[in-house]
Amino acid sequence: MTGVKLTELVEAAGCAAKLAPGYLSQVLADLPRVEDPKLLVGFDASDDAYVYDLGDGRGLVGTTDFFPPMVDDPFLFGQVAAANALSDVWAMGGKPVLALNLLCFPNCLGLEVAGQILAGGADKCREAGVIVAGGHSINDHEPKFGLAVTGFVELDRMLANRSAREGDALVLTKALGTGILTSAHKGGILDDAGVKVATDSMITLNKLPIELAEGLDLHACTDVTGFSLMGHGCEMAEASGLTARIRAEDVPVMARAREMARMGLIPAGAYRNRDFFGPCVEIADRVPLDLSDVLFDPQTSGGLLLALSEGEAEVLVGRLRDAGQPVAVIGSMAARSGCSVRVE
């Protein structure tokens, strides 16, 4: 593996490697729907994981997520991929318990690289209190890694895209910009220190916001990943029959992300997001182009977008800021009025 960088082996990186949302929606539209009253959450409303009613007040939560590397360090890549996959269970209000490794690995890399990727994933699973129970590996010309995750949720605490309410505040728990910053770093424009704000965010588990919301009445949640804040905001608003009103100046943005955006260092996934979700999004003329580019930026292991009452949102934000998280109230849910997301 001497001299080989992981990011040199891939065409797209992290969650930006997802299928274009328009293409994916066409594929999913042709899949048969199997009706089962115990399947409480499936793929119909673009939720982060499925929830299956166990009949005892709990739901079984399951998800899978994997992608190519957006960093060259194999241990760090494993950490990011694991944190991203585990996030889907927390986004449903649940607790991840078990995980299976999913590893695609090229023959040109040494086994020690594979070991470091798996070790990074195991490190984050250990931090999350999740048992890695096995996994599956295949040969592939591009390295890819992720997890299949199983967890549980108390059904009276289950969160879904469809459950936001009119008047809810919208809380975002991480700053935006991972796609832009990692693209700039891969292109040699941004140094290691500049991209560290992104990698530090990507390896931060989304466990804490759900734990610190204990006692609060959360209504809906999604994690902000490859389809961007605008895309995932659209999915929540449409599933809930509402319009998300976003205050652009309140959205937390990573240092230098807007600078890199002004230089044109925009990942291809951001353009795909804008093409698909753009018709459902209304952005005020006063919002600068570089900031709107960040709003469509595909995030890898991004934060949670939570909907809850205004008063309880302030309580949650206070708790998370005390814990050092770059969280903010970025808008609210309003009665449906044409577009799915309005950025002001």
Side-chain angles (χ1 to χ4, degrees):
M1 64 157 291
T2 303
V4 176
K5 294 183 177 181
L6 293 182
T7 55
E8 292 178 347
L9 301 175
V10 302
E11 294 183 7
C15 286
K18 285 185 176 182
L19 289 178
Y23 183 82
L24 180 61
S25 66
Q26 293 179 40
V27 172
L28 295 179
D30 294 332
L31 289 181
R33 264 59 172 178
V34 178
E35 298 296 330
D36 187 326
K38 290 190 175 183
L39 182 63
L40 303 181
V41 179
F43 61 82
D44 291 2
S46 303
D47 280 286
D48 300 290
Y50 71 75
V51 179
Y52 187 82
D53 188 351
L54 293 174
D56 60 359
R58 298 178 304 152
L60 181 70
V61 186
T63 184
T64 185
D65 210 324
F66 66 102
F67 46 56
M70 73 307 296
V71 293
D72 291 315
D73 183 291
F75 185 85
L76 180 59
F77 169 46
Q79 288 181 305
V80 172
N84 181 77
L86 293 167
S87 178
D88 287 341
V89 177
W90 287 308
M92 304 304 297
K95 177 182 178 181
V97 176
L98 295 166
L100 298 173
N101 288 318
L102 301 171
L103 178 66
C104 304
F105 199 71
N107 292 327
C108 66
L109 295 176
L111 291 179
E112 67 274 17
V113 178
Q116 282 296 298
I117 293 172
L118 294 176
D123 176 71
K124 283 292 140 180
C125 286
R126 188 180 307 110
E127 181 182 341
V130 170
I131 299 168
V132 178
H136 185 63
S137 61
I138 61 170
N139 288 320
D140 194 354
H141 68 283
E142 286 190 352
K144 303 176 185 73
F145 177 65
L147 302 173
V149 187
T150 302
F152 299 96
V153 63
E154 299 296 328
L155 293 182
D156 60 358
R157 298 288 292 173
M158 184 185 80
L159 302 173
N161 281 343
R162 63 176 181 261
S163 304
R165 303 176 186 174
E166 184 178 347
D168 276 351
L170 293 172
V171 173
L172 181 64
T173 65
K174 288 185 183 182
L176 302 180
T178 63
I180 291 171
L181 292 182
T182 54
S183 294
H185 184 256
K186 182 180 179 181
I189 305 301
L190 193 64
D191 60 15
D192 290 346
V195 80
K196 190 175 185 298
V197 63
T199 56
D200 284 350
S201 176
M202 289 188 291
I203 64 174
T204 299
L205 298 177
N206 280 327
K207 176 182 181 181
L208 194 60
I210 297 302
E211 289 184 342
L212 292 183
E214 184 68 30
L216 302 178
D217 183 20
L218 303 180
H219 299 155
C221 181
T222 185
D223 62 347
V224 178
T225 54
F227 292 160
S228 76
L229 175 62
M230 293 294 93
H232 292 290
C234 279
E235 290 174 344
M236 180 184 288
E238 290 174 2
S240 301
L242 300 169
T243 292
R245 301 177 67 108
I246 304 296
R247 298 185 298 272
E249 69 274 11
D250 291 338
V251 176
V253 177
M254 293 178 181
R256 303 195 67 184
R258 292 182 63 178
E259 174 193 348
M260 296 297 107
R262 287 192 293 271
M263 294 173 64
L265 296 165
I266 311 296
Y271 295 108
R272 293 195 298 268
N273 288 338
R274 192 184 284 271
D275 286 344
F276 184 72
F277 294 108
C280 303
V281 176
E282 182 181 297
I283 300 180
D285 292 340
R286 64 178 176 273
V287 177
L289 177 60
D290 61 288
L291 180 52
S292 71
D293 283 336
V294 172
L295 298 179
F296 284 101
D297 184 37
Q299 303 303 286
T300 297
S301 192
L304 299 180
L305 180 65
L306 296 146
L308 66 167
S309 70
E310 185 176 348
E312 297 207 332
E314 294 298 337
V315 174
L316 180 59
V317 167
R319 292 175 182 177
L320 287 168
R321 286 181 176 169
D322 288 344
Q325 296 225 338
V327 60
V329 176
I330 64 167
S332 61
M333 282 295 191
R336 185 74 178 192
S337 58
C339 61
S340 300
V341 177
R342 179 169 289 114
V343 182
E344 303 163 339

